Amino acid sequence: MNHPTRYIPAALLLLGSACFAGFAAIGSAVAPDGQLQEPFALLPLGWLCTTVGALGLLPPLIRRLRRKP
């Protein structure tokens, strides 16, 4: 049986990947006054989404592996 709650961790993994891709696509630059300008908030947000998504997928994966002989 496919529960809709399994889609939430998968969506979080995709969102985390999108954050990392966005960080790479935007890039970083140094302003004329010497300040580094980069979308730093995307890094911790990406790690948080990826970690929570991976942890959310572990219990169903473990249950599925236990059922197989």
Side-chain angles (χ1 to χ4, degrees):
M1 189 163 168
N2 203 357
H3 296 283
T5 55
R6 292 187 187 166
Y7 294 121
I8 294 171
L12 285 172
L13 284 173
L14 287 174
L15 184 62
S17 298
C19 286
F20 293 134
F23 181 81
I26 293 171
S28 60
V30 178
D33 61 352
Q35 284 186 331
L36 180 64
Q37 296 177 342
E38 63 179 1
F40 180 73
L42 291 177
L43 287 177
L45 185 62
W47 279 112
L48 177 69
C49 290
T50 303
T51 303
V52 172
L55 289 175
L57 286 178
L58 278 179
L61 179 65
I62 291 171
R63 272 185 251 134
R64 181 174 288 180
L65 290 174
R66 280 187 179 176
R67 277 190 248 164
K68 292 188 177 184

